[in-house]
Amino acid sequence: MNARATAAAQPNTGSEPVLKHVHANGLRFAYLEQGSGPLVMFMHGFPDNAWSYRKQLQVFADAGYRAVSPFLRGYAPTEMPADGVFDPIALGQDLEALIAALSDYGQARVVGMDWGGTSTFQALATAPSAIKAAVVMNTAHPITFSSIRRDPDLVRSVFHVYFFQMPGAESAVNIEGLPFVDYLWKLWSPTFNDVEHLRSIKQTLSSPGTMAAALKYYGGLTDAGRAGRLPIVEMHTPTLTIYGSNDPTARYSLKEEPLFKGPHQRIVLPDVGHFPHLEREAEVTGLIMDWFRTHAPD
């Protein structure tokens, strides 16, 4: 963690998120902020960006929280890491450093999905004191990886993990209009349609170097797993896990439960795909709010 990380702006109490910047873990991160009060971090996945949590930022700001949604490492306008490292260890260190930089007390409530969930699982294992309570959505814990790899149906469902590591993948994905982004959203969350948000995602991923960085996350995960650098340890932080029944991560998520030694609840939402906070916006936002009010009161 970079203890010298410093925030760069005053709290935002307006009715719209404000884009700000902060130095953490050796990088200049861009983040959206709304509201003032106890810090809540919202970590996005792929193919997505920090604007994914626009509605949640508003709800939590209205409820008296300082709601923050960073653009992950390499996702413009966040800086590109000079060392080219995009593995889960770095993601967990990013989250830990962001909390240290943005929180007056060195702690935050954290919501993460997909890669944001990976960063949250990592930090829950290696920096638990930084997280008061967590919500992780549609993220495969490392303990489930071996089961997923042995399940042909799931291998097919997560084909992108393998495809993105193939030579030439970026040239196939990073083409005009980014049709692969449209394809993945239709595949993973077919009932959700937000043209403006998809346009925002494509703008992010079209920034120079961003798509290449986003695809490197997959090789970083595979390499870390192969090297045994992904922690499979007990977690004592109050953690709510939310899965969409149609998301591949749900099938073996029960294997995670023995690792949670603190307060824990696992919810599988029927007929929900990869982006629960968008597909069931009010319901999922309410679940998150209730979890934090119950397990991380002010």
Side-chain angles (χ1 to χ4, degrees), residues 136-179:
V136 180
M137 299 183 290
N138 281 346
T139 303
H141 188 279
I143 201 172
T144 67
F145 289 175
S146 61
S147 298
I148 292 172
R149 284 196 299 266
R150 293 194 298 264
D151 186 328
D153 186 53
L154 281 198
V155 170
R156 178 186 60 82
S157 296
V158 297
F159 77 96
H160 64 291
V161 174
Y162 305 97
F163 174 63
F164 288 162
Q165 298 180 61
M166 294 176 59
E170 184 194 351
S171 63
V173 172
N174 199 16
I175 62 176
E176 185 177 356
L178 299 184

Side-chain angles (χ1 to χ4, degrees), residues 69-273:
S69 181
F71 291 80
L72 299 188
R73 61 168 45 213
Y75 279 73
T78 286
E79 194 174 20
M80 200 74 60
D83 59 9
V85 174
F86 296 92
D87 63 17
I89 296 88
L91 297 182
Q93 291 170 341
D94 287 348
L95 176 55
E96 182 185 0
L98 283 164
I99 292 171
L102 296 171
S103 172
D104 294 334
Y105 305 102
Q107 283 192 318
R109 298 152 181 84
V110 177
V111 179
M113 69 144 305
D114 192 85
W115 290 118
T118 297
S119 69
T120 306
F121 274 145
Q122 179 75 28
L124 285 172
T126 58
S129 63
I131 302 178
K132 290 194 70 170
V135 178
V136 180
M137 299 183 290
N138 281 346
T139 303
H141 188 279
I143 201 172
T144 67
F145 289 175
S146 61
S147 298
I148 292 172
R149 284 196 299 266
R150 293 194 298 264
D151 186 328
D153 186 53
L154 281 198
V155 170
R156 178 186 60 82
S157 296
V158 297
F159 77 96
H160 64 291
V161 174
Y162 305 97
F163 174 63
F164 288 162
Q165 298 180 61
M166 294 176 59
E170 184 194 351
S171 63
V173 172
N174 199 16
I175 62 176
E176 185 177 356
L178 299 184
F180 210 92
V181 171
D182 294 311
Y183 174 77
L184 289 180
W185 274 81
K186 289 177 183 177
L187 179 67
W188 293 344
S189 293
T191 63
F192 179 78
N193 183 30
D194 185 331
V195 174
E196 288 301 318
H197 185 51
L198 285 174
R199 184 178 294 118
S200 168
I201 294 166
K202 290 181 179 182
Q203 182 177 4
T204 295
L205 293 172
S206 295
S207 299
T210 294
M211 182 65 82
L215 300 190
K216 287 179 182 177
Y217 279 57
Y218 296 90
L221 175 66
T222 299
D223 291 345
R226 187 181 297 116
R229 292 187 291 118
L230 299 178
I232 300 178
V233 299
E234 293 181 355
M235 294 172 284
H236 297 269
T237 304
T239 303
L240 169 66
T241 52
I242 299 174
Y243 294 91
S245 65
N246 296 335
D247 193 78
T249 57
R251 183 173 299 183
Y252 295 104
S253 56
L254 273 172
K255 289 180 174 289
E256 304 160 1
E257 294 206 348
L259 299 176
F260 292 102
K261 300 304 182 183
H264 174 246
Q265 184 179 0
R266 172 180 167 271
I267 295 175
V268 179
L269 299 173
D271 301 319
V272 170

